[in-house]
Amino acid sequence: MAIKRSIGEKIFDAFNILAMIFLIIVTLYPLLYVIFASVSTPSRLIKHEGILLAPLGFQLGAYKLVFRNPMITKGYLNTLFVVTVGTTVNIIMTSLGAYVLSRKGLYWKNLMMFIIVFTMFFGGGMIPTYLLVRSLKLTDTLWALIVPGAISTYNMIIMRTSFMSIPDSLEESARIDGAKDLTILFKIVIPLSLPVIAVMILFYGVGHWNAWFSALIYLRKRELYPLQLILREVLISSDTTQMLAGLAGMDLEPIAETVKYATIVIATLPILCIYPFLQKYFVKGVMIGALKG
Amino acid sequence: MAKSAAGKVNGNVVSQNSKINKNNLRHVIVKDFKKNKMIYLLAVPVLAYYIIFHYGPMYGVIIAFKNFTPARGILGSPWVGFRWFQEFFSSYYFGRLLRNTLLINIYSLIFSFPAPIFLALLLNELRNQKFKKVVQTISYLPHFISLVVICGMIVNFTARDGILNDIIAFFGGERTTMLLRPELFRTIYVASGIWQGVGWGSIIYLAALAGIDIELYQAAVIDGANRWHQVWHVTLPGILPTIVILLIMRIGSLMSVGYEKIILLYNSSIYETADVISTFVYRKGLLEANYSYSSAVGLFNSVINFLLLIIANWISRKVNETSLW
């Protein structure tokens, strides 16, 4: 970098930095707007036009209304169940599959590999899957959100690549010491693959947290709804009647507006808080996936 | 790459085995099974999962050729041949759904596909590493926000009194509920997709950029290349294989759309541009319980997708000697 920069390069660098600052603003501003709006005084927010650079007044009434709503707390609990149990199932099944496919010299390995990889390119589709889940009596249980997606083939292939990168010598010396396949899995492969398993926990966990569509098609009972499905009612169908129940005699429309924004914050905050700490693991996951391609 | 090499080795083993006579073959299988009993036992739940939840629906898709009623079941329902396919192809919806599905994908291909490449190139040119880290961290963030929340924000921002309309009104434009205007739907869909995905999509290109040999740049500088030349002659060729692979995968999914997002955003007044094949399958199948008809439409879509992927991969093998499998 000892070479002097030409004027053209300096202009480019300046433009590049401006472009990046623009990107930061465009990415962050909508999120800031949501936070500002959620704590603004409802009557002032509804009259306001244009960009918000700071909250209009300050109140936490909208948050109180959201937390008072039993559907939100119920939704949170349902989501927590699906995230913890679902991710556990995912990790067990994915590591089993990855371990089997990472073994060398299995006679049926190519056939198993084909059976599994083929499903990445072709499937029965939405309706036959729905009918299958219904005929297994999984509908209207939270298991419908867990079992049909127990393995993501893509994640399993990533994990297999990582398992295969463990040096053979380790395994061979363990075999000489009399270790069997299960011992090798639990004493060698898994302890050496903790980073990739952590990445998988994050991928699956965030996936469960954000999922809503399978809940929409498999669940009829409202008390089973995960958080995202409640959010959909509040944010998209604009159904805030439940939250505003008992506020008779007040001008509800402005309050409904702040309640929506408060709901977004409450549903997104957990992910955004842990995100900066976990970011490098996520990125690592993408990298492992890229190496395979 | 490691995968394909391993596949070849195993392929040789299998083809050698096929030459050995049958008795020997049985011997090999029995010996393999005895030696790897535990492995095969561990494979049981995994294979069971794939057979039930992936091959089960593939078997269930035969209802596309039947007049399925839940009471009669898959086997008991009478065959109707290609009736549902004919009905779909001759219906008013067919042209509209095909057009919408393809157009949304083509717009994404033109705008969403190159966006992360540009971002990665720009990030790569930043001199201040700390600033680069900050930009990266912020740009990955929207990827983790749930689709429901993203769409909730879109609905609120594009509403009559939303912030986008505030800005339009400030410049003298007219306020409208943007999600009720068919001509705006594709723009909203693609633009919000870029907003959410550009940072995350750039990671894979940044990884490819990091893999370019520094000596290539040094050699280019000695040859008198300025930064623009370096980007054009070293950086871009360096990430070209990655771009090609991702482009192939993108073309292979030219007929599949992120329908979850469309279901969250659309409404009957913009079906004209927003309704795609998968959202139609969802409405016909799950809301109106036309199981056979919607399975047929879905099957049509999956078969086209499958063929597109095979063609794209074949082309890439010819042109680039890179292949997905």
Side-chain angles (χ1 to χ4, degrees):
Chain A
M1 298 295 132
I3 304 147
K4 270 191 189 162
R5 290 189 291 160
S6 67
I7 296 177
E9 279 185 51
K10 278 182 187 161
I11 294 176
F12 168 78
D13 282 334
F15 265 106
N16 194 5
I17 291 173
L18 282 180
M20 292 300 128
I21 291 174
F22 176 73
L23 178 79
I24 293 179
I25 294 173
V26 168
T27 308
L28 284 187
Y29 184 70
L31 305 175
L32 284 177
Y33 180 90
V34 169
I35 296 174
F36 292 158
S38 71
V39 295
S40 292
T41 311
S43 53
R44 283 175 66 189
L45 179 70
I46 204 113
K47 278 192 212 113
H48 181 81
E49 277 184 16
I51 286 170
L52 270 182
L53 290 176
L56 300 165
F58 184 80
Q59 52 84 34
L60 293 172
Y63 286 91
K64 277 183 202 143
L65 282 176
V66 177
F67 277 121
R68 224 184 48 192
N69 180 353
M71 285 307 285
I72 292 277
T73 30
K74 196 88 196 61
Y76 242 102
L77 289 177
N78 289 334
T79 295
L80 277 181
F81 176 82
V82 174
V83 168
T84 47
V85 178
T87 308
T88 312
V89 172
N90 289 141
I91 295 297
I92 293 173
M93 292 290 282
T94 309
S95 21
L96 277 186
Y99 182 61
V100 170
L101 294 178
S102 71
R103 297 297 85 194
K104 295 185 180 70
L106 284 187
Y107 186 79
W108 298 110
K109 191 164 96 173
N110 281 0
L111 179 69
M112 290 194 286
M113 197 72 191
F114 178 80
I115 289 177
I116 288 168
V117 171
F118 183 71
T119 63
M120 287 175 95
F121 304 113
F122 191 78
M126 190 193 294
I127 306 302
T129 310
Y130 167 78
L131 292 173
L132 172 82
V133 172
R134 202 176 65 173
S135 70
L136 292 173
K137 305 265 186 290
L138 286 173
T139 39
D140 267 330
T141 67
L142 287 178
W143 295 105
L145 314 185
I146 294 172
V147 182
I151 299 178
S152 141
T153 307
Y154 184 75
N155 286 350
M156 191 169 84
I157 304 277
I158 292 179
M159 213 156 166
R160 167 182 179 261
T161 312
S162 154
F163 284 1
M164 290 202 311
S165 68
I166 294 170
D168 290 342
S169 53
L170 280 176
E171 198 192 311
E172 279 158 20
S173 56
R175 277 199 198 279
I176 291 169
D177 292 342
K180 292 265 176 339
D181 292 313
L182 269 188
T183 324
I184 288 169
L185 173 61
F186 286 108
K187 291 274 157 71
I188 296 178
V189 174
I190 288 185
L192 285 178
S193 306
L194 286 182
V196 80
I197 293 177
V199 169
M200 291 298 137
I201 292 177
L202 294 175
F203 276 178
Y204 280 123
V206 171
H208 282 303
W209 178 275
N210 286 343
W212 66 282
F213 189 69
S214 37
L216 174 75
I217 62 180
Y218 295 134
L219 303 180
R220 293 277 169 277
K221 289 187 194 146
R222 281 183 57 91
E223 68 262 29
L224 290 176
Y225 277 12
L227 186 61
Q228 300 295 335
L229 216 49
I230 312 279
L231 285 182
R232 174 173 173 264
E233 287 180 353
V234 175
L235 297 179
I236 295 179
S237 322
S238 286
D239 184 3
T240 43
T241 41
Q242 267 227 328
M243 300 219 192
L244 303 179
L247 291 183
M250 295 171 72
D251 188 3
L252 292 183
E253 198 195 330
I255 301 176
E257 197 71 8
T258 54
V259 161
K260 275 190 209 171
Y261 290 118
T263 317
I264 296 183
V265 174
I266 289 171
T268 314
L269 215 55
I271 296 247
L272 293 195
C273 285
I274 56 166
Y275 162 73
F277 304 102
L278 301 179
Q279 182 213 350
K280 63 174 181 194
Y281 296 103
F282 283 117
V283 173
K284 207 189 232 164
V286 176
M287 301 287 199
I288 304 172
L291 285 179
K292 175 238 147 201
Chain B
M1 269 150 235
K3 183 187 122 195
S4 67
K8 264 174 210 155
V9 172
N10 273 305
N12 287 339
V13 172
V14 172
S15 66
Q16 274 168 19
N17 282 339
S18 65
K19 285 173 200 157
I20 308 169
N21 66 43
K22 266 191 183 157
N23 248 343
N24 252 336
L25 184 66
R26 188 183 298 157
H27 181 70
V28 169
I29 292 174
V30 171
K31 206 178 132 195
D32 169 70
F33 189 75
K34 271 187 185 155
K35 188 181 155 212
N36 297 309
K37 225 178 346 187
M38 202 58 211
I39 304 281
Y40 285 118
L41 194 66
L42 294 178
V44 168
V46 176
L47 290 176
Y49 163 76
Y50 275 96
I51 287 165
I52 296 172
F53 287 100
H54 288 273
Y55 288 88
M58 279 188 225
Y59 160 74
V61 87
I62 60 168
I63 65 169
F65 305 95
K66 290 187 158 208
N67 190 5
F68 174 77
T69 46
R72 289 184 157 187
I74 295 176
L75 286 174
S77 301
W79 293 95
V80 295
F82 285 88
R83 185 175 123 198
W84 305 117
F85 292 89
Q86 280 164 350
E87 200 169 292
F88 176 57
F89 294 145
S90 59
S91 78
Y92 154 77
Y93 298 108
F94 176 65
R96 188 176 85 177
L97 294 171
L98 200 63
R99 192 181 65 232
N100 289 343
T101 309
L102 281 172
L103 275 181
I104 279 196
N105 270 302
I106 289 168
Y107 284 158
S108 307
L109 198 61
I110 296 173
F111 297 104
S112 313
F113 182 78
I117 305 176
F118 277 119
L119 178 61
L121 289 176
L122 290 180
L123 281 170
N124 195 45
E125 295 300 318
L126 283 180
R127 283 155 181 279
N128 185 333
Q129 292 306 307
K130 248 195 192 133
F131 182 59
K132 183 179 165 188
K133 272 257 142 56
V134 171
V135 178
Q136 281 176 277
T137 306
I138 291 174
S139 68
Y140 301 161
L141 190 72
H143 175 80
F144 296 100
I145 301 176
S146 80
L147 205 52
V148 175
V149 167
I150 298 271
C151 292
M153 281 162 62
I154 296 172
V155 168
N156 274 294
F157 290 166
T158 59
R160 240 190 133 68
D161 54 358
I163 184 167
L164 281 174
N165 271 308
D166 288 348
I167 294 168
I168 290 169
F170 179 80
F171 287 106
E174 201 188 328
R175 283 176 184 277
T176 50
T177 306
M178 291 157 133
L179 279 172
L180 290 176
R181 291 170 60 188
E183 72 275 17
L184 287 182
F185 180 76
R186 291 182 191 119
T187 312
I188 294 173
Y189 179 90
V190 172
S192 58
I194 294 178
W195 182 81
Q196 186 174 19
V198 67
W200 191 252
S202 71
I203 295 177
I204 196 159
Y205 296 109
L206 287 170
L209 283 169
I212 298 175
D213 194 346
I214 295 179
E215 282 179 22
L216 288 175
Y217 288 104
Q218 288 163 349
V221 171
I222 290 167
D223 289 344
N226 62 26
R227 254 165 90 191
W228 170 246
H229 290 144
Q230 290 173 33
V231 169
W232 193 248
H233 295 288
V234 182
T235 313
L236 265 182
I239 61 171
L240 198 62
T242 312
I243 297 179
V244 171
I245 285 255
L246 292 180
L247 188 65
I248 293 165
M249 296 209 280
R250 191 65 198 80
I251 290 171
S253 59
L254 209 53
M255 282 281 282
S256 55
V257 184
Y259 59 88
E260 293 194 8
K261 186 168 166 186
I262 298 186
I263 290 175
L264 287 169
L265 286 179
Y266 77 167
N267 52 72
S268 51
S269 52
I270 54 169
Y271 280 174
E272 189 191 326
T273 57
D275 197 16
V276 296
I277 296 177
S278 0
T279 52
F280 181 75
V281 171
Y282 165 71
R283 278 205 316 281
K284 285 287 157 195
L286 294 175
L287 300 183
E288 297 172 23
N290 281 327
Y291 296 125
S292 280
Y293 179 63
S294 54
S295 295
V297 178
L299 181 61
F300 162 74
N301 201 5
S302 326
V303 169
I304 301 276
N305 270 331
F306 188 61
L307 292 178
L308 277 173
L309 198 76
I310 288 179
I311 294 169
N313 193 54
W314 180 79
I315 293 172
S316 112
R317 205 177 287 183
K318 291 272 160 203
V319 176
N320 205 38
E321 292 175 354
T322 41
S323 158
L324 290 178
W325 55 78

